[in-house]
Amino acid sequence: MRHQRFFSLDEVNRAIQPLLAELNRRPFQRLPGSRQSVFETVDRPALKPLPPTRYEFAEWKRATVGIDYHVEVDRHYYSVPYRYARQPVDVRFTATTVELFHRGERLASHLRSRVPGGHTTVAAHLAPAHQVVAGWNAQRFLDWAAQIGPQTQTVIERVLQARPHPQQGYRTALGILRLAKAYGNDRLEAACQRAARLQVISYRSLASILKHGLDRQSPTPTQAPLPLHHANVRGPAYYH
């Protein structure tokens, strides 16, 4: 094959295959038989069946279940039964699946998702409506937000309503409300007002508004529309 040219690994393998079969059948020079005959008499009888499923490389990590009963894996969130909120778990994840264990017991198994910021939720994992789990429920977030101000309460309400299940918004709501600790209630209230006006309600948007001091800026006035009769407005008659 030294004088042949190949343009892909597949081409090389196709050229090697018939030569390999011939090499395996070639008799040994000093021993009886060939590579093929030794394989048939010694190796093949000792072989075991292949596993029923193909081997998949798996990674493990230690995590703590959030107040929303979800665990983050590669920026995606997977649910476990609500009674395990705030509990440490072991996470086993492959290219196709995510499994969550607590003290050796498997709590859940999910197909792996590549959607960043998304949620994979089993409805049976969620707490009954209005039940307080790990000290948290939707009403507690709304009451906390109301103490800061009406704009903050509106933002938190929209965060909780934007998800198929309110619990999926708990992390975002908690992150937003904790911004008051760093920037104060008044600034968070102003930031929520600006975010609601711009329709960019998310933790990252609010954190960016506060970080860059945009909450302290006056609202940008909207440009007044041009009058119907103006020197720069020609009207449809101009084009006839």
Side-chain angles (χ1 to χ4, degrees):
M1 295 172 57
R2 70 182 61 180
H3 300 300
Q4 300 182 44
R5 295 183 64 186
F6 302 98
F7 298 94
S8 70
L9 184 61
D10 186 57
E11 289 184 24
V12 177
N13 287 330
R14 287 201 301 268
I16 288 176
Q17 189 171 8
L19 300 176
L20 181 62
E22 179 184 348
L23 176 65
N24 288 335
R25 291 192 299 268
R26 185 181 301 171
F28 293 130
Q29 294 183 0
R30 298 186 180 182
L31 297 173
S34 63
R35 292 179 176 86
Q36 185 67 35
S37 65
V38 172
F39 172 77
E40 296 293 344
T41 58
V42 178
D43 296 319
R44 186 183 292 278
L47 293 176
K48 296 181 180 180
L50 291 174
T53 57
R54 188 181 183 90
Y55 172 79
E56 274 194 301
F57 175 76
E59 297 181 72
W60 289 82
K61 80 169 189 174
R62 190 78 167 164
T64 300
V65 181
I67 60 174
D68 56 353
Y69 340 134
H70 287 71
V71 176
E72 183 270 332
V73 178
D74 195 19
R75 298 178 59 200
H76 191 88
Y77 299 92
Y78 300 88
S79 68
V80 299
Y82 68 89
R83 62 184 178 275
Y84 293 98
R86 295 292 195 183
Q87 295 294 314
V89 294
D90 295 304
V91 186
R92 179 184 183 272
F93 52 102
T94 69
T96 58
T97 60
V98 173
E99 297 174 286
L100 302 114
F101 299 85
H102 178 68
R103 297 180 179 176
E105 176 189 0
R106 190 171 76 170
L107 306 179
S109 178
H110 302 278
L111 291 176
R112 189 168 180 180
S113 174
R114 303 292 179 176
V115 179
H119 289 74
T120 297
T121 304
V122 176
H125 290 168
L126 302 180
H130 308 301
Q131 179 171 330
V132 177
V133 178
W136 296 94
N137 65 357
Q139 190 58 48
R140 178 175 176 180
F141 286 109
L142 293 172
D143 292 342
W144 183 357
Q147 295 175 10
I148 297 174
Q151 298 294 333
T152 306
Q153 185 179 26
T154 298
V155 163
I156 296 302
E157 185 175 2
R158 291 173 63 177
V159 165
L160 298 176
Q161 292 177 350
R163 303 285 187 175
H165 307 286
Q167 293 90 338
Q168 295 175 344
Y170 283 8
R171 288 176 187 256
T172 301
L174 184 60
I176 291 172
L177 292 170
R178 283 178 172 171
L179 290 172
K181 185 176 181 180
Y183 296 97
N185 290 355
D186 292 341
R187 290 197 60 189
L188 178 57
E189 178 73 357
C192 287
Q193 183 177 15
R194 184 182 182 91
R197 186 174 64 252
L198 298 176
Q199 298 296 314
V200 288
I201 296 178
S202 69
Y203 170 79
R204 288 188 177 184
S205 298
L206 285 161
S208 178
I209 289 172
L210 291 165
K211 179 180 179 181
H212 296 94
L214 301 179
D215 56 294
R216 293 169 169 166
Q217 296 181 2
S218 301
T220 303
T222 56
Q223 184 177 3
L226 290 173
L228 294 179
H229 302 287
H230 188 274
N232 294 332
V233 180
R234 299 187 180 100
Y238 175 84
Y239 299 96
H240 291 298

